[in-house]
Amino acid sequence: MKLYLDPGHGGTDPGAQGNGLKEKDINLDIALRIRNILLNNYDNVDVLMSRTGDTTKSLEQRTNEANAWGADFYLAIHCNAFNGSAQGYEDYIHSSLSDSSTTATYQNIIHAEVVKLNQLVDRGKKKANFHVLRESSMSAMLSENGFIDNSHDAALMKDPTWRQRVAQGHVNGLEKSFNIQRKQTNDTDTVYKIIAGSFKSRGNADQRVDFLNSQNIESYVDTVIISGETWYRVQAGAFSSRENAERRLTVVKNAGITDAYILSEKI
């Protein structure tokens, strides 16, 4: 399956803004997490992103690139804004499509999986005449992952663990929609997690995540209870392959986190 993954806005176009956040940054973070989950855990999936950094790209450039590449699906990641009072999640397909179309079927599946995990009000499945939905030659969907100018939704957006859950919801929907298969290894019942620090202070854990992300190492905070105490553990990847985990560990250590290690867990 060839996925064209489009984090909306970027560069000179910040998108919606609110509560100290810029939409372009949230879109990119979620999209990178979607890409990493797919490439790390699934076979026969190719992902082309419209941008992997804070760069400017026109809508025409995005759809032209997806069409030329021959993508099977176009997924645009966005956040919403209104007047501070609206909140929740919604997604869109093109307004010309019927409810029985293939694209609508994909929307039904992905929507259901995302709302299982995103802790947002479900605003429903919608249709619109957006450029990326109209000009893409493959099935396309655009998701609006909360309202950045709403205090409730913005508080979630600031949490990297929430952004990881949102990414996982999209991936779960893609897996079901396109029947993509998880990678098979000799130790499929084991996951290898890269732990880049454990802290009793959530603030310290968030600082570590911010540093890793500044080094282009995707990470998030996982809250765990150990001997009755709450710890905030920074995870910088999870792999079904020990070899892939070792490679990521080397990258993390080279970034200066010399006490990072691999945690093996049965699943």
Side-chain angles (χ1 to χ4, degrees):
M1 193 270 282
K2 298 173 69 174
L3 173 68
Y4 189 82
L5 185 55
D6 179 17
H9 308 285
T12 58
D13 175 14
Q17 299 179 67
N19 293 288
L21 299 171
K22 295 179 181 179
E23 181 189 355
K24 64 178 182 178
D25 299 328
I26 303 300
N27 296 344
L28 180 60
D29 185 88
I30 293 172
L32 287 169
R33 292 172 187 274
I34 291 172
R35 181 195 66 178
N36 291 345
I37 295 170
L38 287 169
L39 297 183
N40 288 336
N41 298 294
Y42 292 88
D43 283 321
N44 301 316
V45 178
D46 292 323
V47 180
L48 179 60
M49 294 184 64
S50 61
R51 62 185 181 95
T52 56
D54 187 19
T55 53
T56 304
K57 198 166 192 174
S58 71
L59 295 176
E60 291 80 6
Q61 287 175 313
R62 297 172 197 237
T63 50
N64 287 346
E65 187 174 68
N67 293 340
W69 187 52
D72 297 308
F73 192 63
Y74 191 116
L75 177 60
I77 303 297
H78 283 257
C79 303
N80 234 325
F82 186 56
N83 61 3
S85 63
Q87 63 183 93
Y89 170 83
E90 60 195 26
D91 45 47
Y92 292 84
I93 60 174
H94 192 254
S95 50
S96 66
L97 296 169
S98 73
D99 291 342
S100 60
S101 65
T102 298
T103 304
T105 299
Y106 294 151
Q107 182 186 29
N108 290 340
I109 296 170
I110 297 170
H111 183 98
E113 293 300 320
V114 173
V115 298
K116 286 179 184 177
L117 299 180
N118 68 3
Q119 302 171 273
L120 294 173
V121 173
D122 183 358
R123 296 172 59 88
K125 295 166 286 187
K126 302 185 178 184
K127 298 178 183 179
N129 188 32
F130 298 144
H131 174 96
V132 298
L133 304 179
R134 182 183 66 248
E135 300 300 328
S136 49
S137 58
M138 68 294 302
S139 290
M141 192 189 93
L142 182 149
S143 66
E144 293 277 9
N145 296 277
F147 282 74
I148 203 166
D149 58 350
N150 177 270
S151 59
H152 169 271
D153 290 7
L156 291 173
M157 291 178 192
K158 292 176 181 179
D159 183 354
T161 305
W162 178 83
R163 300 194 298 269
Q164 186 75 11
R165 284 197 299 269
V166 170
Q168 188 64 61
H170 283 78
V171 170
N172 292 348
L174 291 167
E175 177 183 353
K176 290 187 175 182
S177 295
F178 292 92
N179 195 32
I180 55 177
Q181 301 298 309
R182 289 183 174 271
K183 290 181 178 180
Q184 297 298 312
T185 66
N186 293 329
D187 49 359
T188 54
D189 60 342
T190 301
V191 62
Y192 300 97
K193 298 179 178 181
I194 309 305
I195 306 302
S198 295
F199 304 88
K200 287 190 175 181
S201 162
R202 177 61 189 247
N204 290 340
D206 287 339
Q207 287 180 2
R208 177 63 56 86
V209 166
D210 290 342
F211 170 74
L212 289 168
N213 287 338
S214 75
Q215 304 297 307
N216 294 317
I217 301 171
E218 293 302 310
S219 61
Y220 65 97
V221 177
D222 184 24
T223 304
V224 296
I225 307 296
I226 301 175
S227 301
E229 290 188 307
T230 300
W231 289 82
Y232 300 100
R233 197 160 63 188
V234 177
Q235 186 171 316
F239 303 87
S240 57
S241 161
R242 178 83 190 200
E243 181 181 359
N244 290 340
E246 294 283 1
R247 283 199 289 266
R248 175 57 63 84
L249 180 63
T250 298
V251 172
V252 172
K253 287 189 172 183
N254 287 343
I257 313 301
T258 56
D259 58 346
Y261 64 94
I262 294 174
L263 177 66
S264 303
E265 290 185 355
K266 295 292 184 179
I267 56 176

